Amino acid sequence: MRIEAYNQVAQIYSTNKTTAAKPADKVKAAAKDSVQLSSFGKDIQVAKQAVAEASDIREDKVAEMKAKYANGNVSVDTGDFASVLLEKYKLNSL
């Protein structure tokens, strides 16, 4: 039996011990992250903000329908109404 071979193997395993991480050096002030938006990106942001600020209800259309309903001028075509209902239930039944 060769003792030297055993000692060499033991030395290999003893040197592979992990050590604690060393603290990082101070980051230079000039090395900061930055983001630049393209003009298209800026346009998208403006559009998103306009949509967010817009009302979900079109007040002019609601007022028009209220006036028609109050005057009795609302007429519903039963054929159109039935086709809309059938189309809705066809899509939901799939």
Side-chain angles (χ1 to χ4, degrees):
M1 179 168 153
R2 290 180 41 199
I3 296 176
E4 296 88 26
Y6 176 75
N7 287 338
Q8 289 174 351
V9 171
Q11 287 175 355
I12 290 172
Y13 285 111
S14 68
T15 58
N16 287 338
K17 292 181 182 177
T18 57
T19 58
K22 296 179 183 177
D25 293 338
K26 293 182 181 179
V27 179
K28 294 180 182 177
K32 291 187 177 183
D33 292 336
S34 65
V35 176
Q36 294 180 350
L37 296 177
S38 66
S39 62
F40 181 72
K42 291 176 185 176
D43 292 342
I44 297 262
Q45 283 184 335
V46 169
K48 281 179 68 175
Q49 185 177 4
V51 168
E53 292 173 357
S55 175
D56 290 339
I57 300 171
R58 293 182 57 186
E59 298 294 335
D60 56 337
K61 294 288 184 179
V62 171
E64 180 183 338
M65 289 304 294
K66 281 183 179 181
K68 284 184 179 180
Y69 183 73
N71 293 333
N73 295 337
V74 178
S75 62
V76 177
D77 184 11
T78 55
D80 288 341
F81 182 73
S83 65
V84 169
L85 283 177
L86 287 173
E87 190 64 32
K88 178 182 178 186
Y89 287 111
K90 280 183 194 176
L91 294 176
N92 288 337
S93 66
L94 295 176

